Amino acid sequence: MPYYGGVEGGASHSHTVILDESGDLVGESDGLGTNVWQIGVDEVCKRVNQMVESAKNKAGIDPKSPLKSIGLCLSGGEQKDKNKEMTDMITSKYPHISDNVLIQTDTFGSIATACENGGMVLISGTGTNCQLVNKDESVFRCGGWGHMMGDEGGAYWIAHRAIKFVFDHDDNMKPAPHDPTFVRSAMFKYFNINDRYGLLDSLYTNFKKSFFAGFCKVLATEGLNDPLVKSVFEDAGKVLADHVLALLPRTSKGMFTDEYGIEIVCVGSVWKSWTLLKNAFVTRLKSGVKDKLHRFTLVELTKSSAFGAAYIGAKHAGFNISKDMTKNYKTLHQEDV
């Protein structure tokens, strides 16, 4: 029986699945991050090989028996030259992984898990990124440049914005739009500091983006009724909608359906706070699209984007995996414009 592999490759965690021709999961495994810009080509290929071998063992497949195809949708996989370098190494050094290898960026896997013929993904986790893949496979993006150049609407941006309101307010430079007492108190507790000077260590000497961004979760869970927190999340909702608006003019006609309008795959932990984002996101999006769009649908994946990676890899190799896309996601929100 033929088998097909898919890898969801994140910066800190990766997941691999093996599917049969009916699209059923027969084996899976987890592994470390596979971002080539963080660990290099050799280590990415080594980790992929380890995950595939583990998944094969769980599926009862001989580790030395190549899959028919494998799709790898990896964080940092935007550049064709680097992807070719990784593909060449896998093909030469680990030929038992698969007969056919395709590498794309991680957003492709998210879209392909929920959308049959292209779509849009809006990532809001630690950082943000929005990518459009049209039916003709043309690709456009907005954002995804990291916290130094963007990440608007992501967890780091939300945490930083809330804290900046406190700093500016206490400096008497600019009053916060709402009482910053809660945010100030939560900031001191989360960072284990007694004053603003104590935050300098986390901002500079021992800066860790993921830890700093973790303050966003505190705001979302403990500050639900705080006016300043709500205003920060409203701002996040607006800028997340701006990502979508930036890409809508680049969508091909085949991307709009009667059922979904434009289908937007929402990925990342910030979407767990949809109730805080919703009103501002919807209002901004509806005011921007006007007569360009009749409906939009936000969906969340219920399966790993490694499934989408497997679909992409199989299609590229000329194989067709049977699948029911509706089992891979749930609707977060749908609205007519």
Side-chain angles (χ1 to χ4, degrees):
M1 178 179 291
Y3 296 103
Y4 311 91
V7 177
E8 172 191 2
S12 57
H13 172 265
S14 299
H15 186 71
T16 297
V17 301
I18 296 178
L19 312 179
D20 61 20
E21 57 188 349
S22 297
D24 293 328
L25 177 69
V26 297
E28 60 185 330
S29 66
D30 292 296
L32 299 173
T34 47
N35 185 308
V36 68
W37 302 109
Q38 293 182 357
I39 61 175
V41 171
D42 287 352
E43 188 63 22
V44 168
C45 297
K46 178 182 176 181
R47 293 181 181 184
V48 168
N49 178 61
Q50 291 172 340
M51 286 189 293
V52 173
E53 285 193 351
S54 176
K56 283 181 178 178
N57 284 328
K58 293 178 181 177
I61 302 171
D62 181 354
K64 299 302 179 183
S65 178
L67 303 172
K68 287 296 183 181
S69 66
I70 188 167
L72 298 94
C73 293
L74 310 179
S75 170
E78 292 88 358
Q79 295 194 358
K80 292 183 179 180
D81 290 346
K82 189 62 68 174
N83 290 350
K84 185 178 185 305
E85 186 179 351
M86 288 188 285
T87 301
D88 289 345
M89 176 169 287
I90 289 174
T91 302
S92 61
K93 191 172 182 178
Y94 305 103
H96 53 277
I97 287 181
S98 178
D99 291 334
N100 297 277
V101 179
L102 176 69
I103 299 179
Q104 300 277 21
T105 187
D106 53 350
T107 52
F108 277 62
S110 299
I111 293 172
T113 302
C115 309
E116 183 72 41
N117 296 303
M120 187 182 294
V121 61
L122 180 53
I123 298 173
S124 183
T126 299
T128 54
N129 190 9
C130 190
Q131 191 148 23
L132 167 71
V133 178
N134 280 314
K135 193 173 182 179
D136 63 3
E137 298 188 355
S138 59
V139 180
F140 302 93
R141 68 180 278 174
C142 174
W145 303 112
H147 69 283
M148 294 294 287
M149 293 299 293
D151 273 355
E152 292 90 343
Y156 172 85
W157 183 90
I158 291 169
H160 181 274
R161 189 170 179 82
I163 291 171
K164 186 69 163 66
F165 276 133
V166 173
F167 271 64
D168 287 351
H169 184 93
D170 291 354
D171 279 346
N172 201 32
M173 176 183 287
K174 184 179 180 180
H178 302 281
D179 183 359
T181 299
F182 168 78
V183 175
R184 184 190 299 109
S185 176
M187 177 183 77
F188 286 174
K189 181 179 178 181
Y190 177 80
F191 290 97
N192 192 26
I193 57 177
N194 298 315
D195 54 36
R196 288 182 295 155
Y197 288 102
L199 192 62
L200 297 179
D201 181 68
S202 293
L203 284 169
Y204 301 103
T205 309
N206 292 301
F207 174 73
K208 293 182 180 179
K209 183 179 176 181
S210 59
F211 175 71
F212 195 95
F215 183 55
C216 176
K217 183 177 181 180
V218 174
L219 297 175
T221 55
E222 299 180 16
L224 282 170
N225 298 314
D226 181 73
L228 182 58
V229 171
K230 289 196 288 187
S231 72
V232 172
F233 274 90
E234 287 170 1
D235 290 342
K238 292 174 185 176
V239 294
L240 287 172
D242 286 341
H243 284 73
V244 177
L245 293 173
L247 293 180
L248 277 180
R250 300 184 180 276
T251 53
S252 60
K253 291 183 179 180
M255 296 298 296
F256 302 99
T257 66
D258 292 337
E259 182 178 1
Y260 295 106
I262 181 71
E263 194 171 7
I264 304 165
V265 183
C266 301
V267 176
S269 59
V270 173
W271 294 106
K272 294 177 182 178
S273 301
W274 173 239
T275 54
L276 292 171
L277 303 168
K278 179 180 175 180
N279 289 338
F281 181 94
V282 170
T283 300
R284 182 69 138 235
L285 192 57
K286 290 178 71 171
S287 67
V289 297
K290 296 181 180 178
D291 58 348
K292 300 176 184 177
L293 187 67
H294 73 283
R295 176 179 295 164
F296 62 89
T297 304
L298 307 181
V299 302
E300 289 184 308
L301 299 182
T302 56
K303 290 185 178 180
S304 164
S305 61
F307 280 80
Y311 301 156
I312 293 172
K315 182 178 180 180
H316 180 263
F319 300 105
N320 182 38
I321 300 177
S322 177
K323 52 188 177 292
D324 181 357
M325 310 292 284
T326 61
K327 294 181 178 180
N328 295 349
Y329 65 86
K330 63 181 180 180
T331 299
L332 176 65
H333 184 82
Q334 184 177 77
E335 186 151 340
D336 293 337
V337 177

